[in-house]
Amino acid sequence: MRQKQKGMLITVGFTFVSIGFFLLLWTVMSTKNPDFLPSPLACIKKFQAMLGRPISKVSLGGHIWASLKRVLLAVLCATVIGIPLGLAMGWSRKVNAFVSPIFEFLRPIPPIAWIPLVILWFGVGEFSKVFLVTLGAYVPILMNTVTGVKMVPPVLLDVGKIYKASSVQILKEIVLPAALPAIFAGLKTAVSSGWMIVLAAEMMASKSGVGFLITRGMEAYDVAMIIVGMCIIGIVGYLISICLSLLERRLCPWKTNLE
């Protein structure tokens, strides 16, 4: 127990040292040309100003929630599509043979390349933004699910067959739990991809969201606003990753024990 606590203290210590080193490096670099790279203190003051002053009649919290809502809704849609389809592709050779050619054809196409078509088909409303993020988020979820299913140890499948479990029971009770760590890894990647895509969508046509803030900062030559928007993305993405890790520990306790 003491060794574990000592290890945790060392990890926390290195974390604070890393953050301190980053802030120190940022401060030193900002002294050379504050107009191009504002100091951390200047960015904090800008953040405080943005908290007290709505931008385009929307508060800072409203902009954050607008982007977060789009990302979470898109990841949810991608999860509903990607996990069942990934399980089917990893479990059934026939399904994989049918879906894989289409998936491999669409996978290399970046979601941003779909923007002109999506605007022509659906306009520039909320559905278009969520649809674009879903296009980018489903890929890592589907791929990791397929990989997780294929990496299930054969001995576990043999145990299910020995006890005469049906294919549905084996898939539900053995394959899905064994593939959960890979699925969560795909979810974390999907969230990161979702933020990148939603920013691109918001920069092109939006009146709210973090991407809109970054665009407004670029138009006004307000570098501090751009950096604040970037920091918000990093902080929110990090918090989502922590939540997914906690959920993974809850659903995959055996993985934590092995670690």
Side-chain angles (χ1 to χ4, degrees):
M1 182 64 69
R2 289 182 179 178
Q3 291 181 349
K4 187 175 182 180
Q5 291 177 347
K6 185 178 179 181
M8 290 179 63
L9 289 174
I10 293 174
T11 301
V12 173
F14 272 104
T15 300
F16 280 105
V17 170
S18 174
I19 295 173
F21 176 77
F22 174 75
L23 292 176
L24 178 61
L25 182 63
W26 181 359
T27 303
V28 171
M29 293 179 64
S30 65
T31 57
K32 296 182 179 180
N33 197 333
D35 292 333
F36 283 93
L37 181 61
S39 66
L41 183 59
C43 292
I44 292 174
K45 290 180 179 180
K46 185 63 182 182
F47 174 73
Q48 292 174 341
M50 292 169 66
L51 280 175
R53 177 170 54 93
I55 301 173
S56 188
K57 299 180 181 181
V58 180
S59 66
L60 180 60
H63 285 291
I64 296 172
W65 172 242
S67 295
L68 182 61
K69 180 174 62 175
R70 291 161 186 156
V71 172
L72 293 179
L73 182 58
V75 171
L76 177 62
C77 294
T79 301
V80 173
I81 297 171
I83 293 179
L85 187 58
L87 289 173
M89 290 175 64
W91 182 251
S92 172
R93 292 182 179 179
K94 294 180 180 179
V95 174
N96 184 64
F98 180 78
V99 178
S100 185
I102 302 173
F103 173 71
E104 292 299 330
F105 171 76
L106 295 176
R107 182 168 65 91
I109 303 175
I112 296 176
W114 289 87
I115 289 179
L117 281 178
V118 171
I119 292 176
L120 287 173
W121 292 342
F122 309 116
V124 293
E126 287 296 309
F127 179 81
S128 298
K129 298 178 182 64
V130 174
F131 181 76
L132 282 170
V133 179
T134 303
L135 285 177
Y138 90 96
V139 173
I141 295 176
L142 178 60
M143 291 182 64
N144 279 54
T145 302
V146 173
T147 302
V149 172
K150 291 183 177 181
M151 290 180 64
V152 175
V155 65
L156 296 180
L157 302 178
D158 293 336
V159 170
K161 294 176 181 178
I162 290 173
Y163 283 93
K164 297 181 180 180
S166 64
S167 297
V168 175
Q169 289 175 324
I170 293 175
L171 189 62
K172 180 181 177 182
E173 303 295 337
I174 297 176
V175 175
L176 180 58
L180 275 179
I183 293 174
F184 272 102
L187 285 171
K188 293 176 183 178
T189 305
V191 170
S192 299
S193 301
W195 274 108
M196 289 188 289
I197 300 163
V198 78
L199 287 177
E202 291 173 349
M203 286 179 179
M204 296 192 66
S206 182
K207 294 182 179 180
S208 64
V210 182
F212 169 78
L213 293 179
I214 294 176
T215 303
R216 176 62 64 88
M218 180 179 63
E219 293 172 349
Y221 196 70
D222 191 341
V223 182
M225 181 182 288
I226 297 174
I227 294 177
V228 168
M230 294 169 63
C231 290
I232 289 172
I233 296 167
I235 292 171
V236 175
Y238 180 65
L239 292 176
I240 295 175
S241 179
I242 290 176
C243 292
L244 288 174
S245 297
L246 292 175
L247 182 60
E248 182 181 5
R249 291 182 182 181
R250 182 79 175 180
L251 297 178
C252 310
W254 64 88
K255 184 173 181 271
T256 304
N257 293 333
L258 288 174
E259 293 175 351

